[in-house]
Amino acid sequence: MSQAAIPRPDATHHRLHEFARNALIKIFVHPYATVCELYCGGGLEAERWEEAQIGHYIGIDVASSGISEKREAWESLRKAYTTDFYELDPCTEDLEARLQEKTNQADLVCCLQHLQLCFESEDKARKLLRNVSSLLRPGGYFFGITPDSSTIWAKYQKNVEAYHNRSGSMKPGIVPNCVRAESYMITFEVEEEKFPSFGKRYQLKLAGDMPAETHCLVHFPSLIRLAREAGLEYVEIQNLTEFYDDNKAIFAGMLMGYGASVVDPRGRLLPRSYDILGLYTTFIFQKPDPDAAPPLTTPLLVDRNHHEEEREWTDWREEETIVPSEPPAGLGKITEQKGILGPGPAELRFSEAL
């Protein structure tokens, strides 16, 4: 079967996700960096890392991801950088004990897919973030992309509200569990209006994708809290639509090459592309360097028993959206620190509902 005849998922979705991955790599990765990628088995991206001129690559994923085949494929390419691959689950296994020689060695740890898997339980999320902290050298960054639970839940809540506002003939006590759009369908496994901070499952079916993917909502305040416990400082959580708007002057050309299905002739995202991009968010944390002054600032979240965090999604978005104090000069948004954008406000941004 020719490559053109092979069924492919929605090209728009994958092109947009590729744009975000490439942009983040261009912002963060510097020549000769040691990069650790969690859940790396999703595809062969050796060329991307070679273009970034990294010095060493560490790939970590569960055995069932096909990481053995990926290791063989990468080694056969004989790239300029060295590689190590490990069949380990970063949200259940102790990487510090298993990879003693690799601890505190990575300049960057990235998770460009599957962060949401660790939100099946608090223990898994805590384990992953502690593993990240053990791998990073002081001053290093943890960054990546994950479905934007704020946007997804807001869409679901809007759907529920519209359902109840229709007619009195609707069955009482029944909550619609599905959000349908032109390019995707989101289905929650349990029909309810509230959910716990961990273990809230849903399925995301993108046009052309077979089959639907099962995810867990990422509760951002819990992510920040557990990261802080692991020694990682919050930098930014930004919906990909905002990320694109902030970076399009630099990266618009990347999307222009994808054709008319993604952007218009002026480089503006088409409504369909904007809707798909809005389902995802970037996240950025940093492991503080005690020898660097001044240290990175982080927002203060209200101390409380985390078992009390079960609430409607809109509640925590209203109560816990906190604007931190201005960071030291030269820090600001991460893209400013890397010298890509001009001055702009630094703020804690949980995505607004579309």
Side-chain angles (χ1 to χ4, degrees):
M1 180 182 292
S2 67
Q3 184 175 1
I6 298 175
R8 295 185 58 198
D10 181 2
T12 301
H13 162 253
H14 286 274
R15 287 169 177 173
L16 291 169
H17 205 271
E18 182 182 18
F19 153 75
R21 291 198 307 268
N22 288 341
L24 281 172
I25 289 172
K26 287 181 179 293
I27 288 171
F28 278 97
V29 180
H30 54 82
Y32 312 112
T34 294
V35 177
C36 177
E37 184 177 5
L38 304 181
Y39 299 110
C40 65
L44 188 65
E45 298 181 343
E47 298 291 343
R48 178 178 291 114
W49 296 112
E50 183 173 51
E51 183 180 345
Q53 301 179 13
I54 66 172
H56 185 63
Y57 176 89
I58 303 170
I60 299 175
D61 208 337
V62 295
S64 60
S65 67
I67 190 172
S68 296
E69 292 79 1
K70 186 167 186 176
R71 178 195 295 115
E72 295 175 3
W74 280 44
E75 289 174 350
S76 68
L77 295 174
R78 300 183 181 277
K79 296 300 179 183
Y81 56 88
T82 55
T83 60
D84 284 308
F85 290 89
Y86 299 94
E87 294 183 358
L88 299 168
D89 188 339
C91 69
T92 61
E93 301 187 59
D94 188 344
L95 299 189
E96 185 172 13
R98 298 290 298 274
L99 308 177
Q100 295 181 10
E101 74 282 3
K102 300 298 180 184
T103 57
N104 300 312
Q105 295 298 309
D107 298 294
L108 303 162
V109 175
C110 64
C111 186
L112 301 172
Q113 55 185 347
H114 302 324
L115 175 78
Q116 62 274 15
L117 296 180
C118 75
F119 265 73
E120 290 182 352
S121 70
E122 183 166 358
D123 287 342
K124 285 188 174 183
R126 178 178 284 109
K127 175 64 72 175
L128 181 133
L129 291 165
R130 288 182 175 176
N131 281 331
V132 169
S133 185
S134 71
L135 290 167
L136 277 175
R137 68 172 73 244
Y141 286 97
F142 173 47
F143 68 93
I145 301 169
T146 191
D148 191 330
S149 300
S150 176
T151 294
I152 290 170
W153 187 254
K155 286 178 178 290
Y156 174 63
Q157 293 288 76
K158 185 177 181 180
N159 199 43
V160 170
E161 182 179 355
Y163 180 89
H164 289 301
N165 287 339
R166 286 172 190 167
S167 70
S169 63
M170 300 296 179
K171 295 181 180 179
I174 301 297
V175 179
N177 68 332
C178 184
V179 177
R180 298 177 185 272
E182 176 187 355
S183 303
Y184 57 84
M185 182 171 65
I186 301 169
T187 306
F188 284 88
E189 295 184 358
V190 178
E191 297 180 348
E192 59 185 2
E193 295 188 39
K194 296 183 179 181
F195 66 97
S197 301
F198 300 89
K200 181 62 178 179
R201 294 179 177 272
Y202 67 96
Q203 290 186 333
L204 175 61
K205 175 71 168 65
L206 292 155
D209 269 357
M210 294 289 290
E213 298 178 345
T214 299
H215 300 302
C216 288
L217 290 175
V218 176
H219 187 253
F220 294 137
S222 294
L223 176 65
I224 294 172
R225 172 175 61 83
L226 294 176
R228 188 173 64 235
E229 291 177 6
L232 300 172
E233 300 285 2
Y234 168 86
V235 177
E236 188 173 69
I237 293 173
Q238 185 179 41
N239 185 272
L240 283 189
T241 57
E242 296 175 343
F243 179 80
Y244 174 76
D245 288 340
D246 286 347
N247 294 281
K248 63 183 178 183
I250 303 298
F251 299 118
M254 296 167 57
L255 285 180
M256 290 293 288
Y258 291 150
S261 64
V262 178
V263 294
D264 67 17
R266 296 183 179 181
R268 295 175 299 189
L269 286 173
L270 297 176
R272 178 170 175 263
S273 300
Y274 193 90
D275 192 27
I276 295 173
L277 201 63
L279 295 178
Y280 297 90
T281 184
T282 62
F283 60 88
I284 303 165
F285 294 86
Q286 185 180 32
K287 184 175 181 178
D289 185 349
D291 296 328
L296 196 65
T297 59
T298 53
L300 291 176
L301 298 182
V302 179
D303 290 329
R304 66 187 185 285
N305 189 319
H306 59 267
H307 295 295
E308 298 176 1
E309 289 181 350
E310 182 173 345
R311 64 185 66 178
E312 294 187 30
W313 196 259
T314 51
D315 288 346
W316 71 256
R317 290 176 68 245
E318 294 172 357
E319 295 175 9
E320 302 202 37
T321 301
I322 302 170
V323 179
S325 57
E326 282 296 315
L331 180 62
K333 292 170 58 176
I334 190 63
T335 44
E336 294 166 20
Q337 185 182 11
K338 295 296 180 179
I340 291 182
L341 297 181
E347 59 182 0
L348 171 62
R349 289 194 280 184
F350 296 123
S351 318
E352 295 297 332
L354 296 181

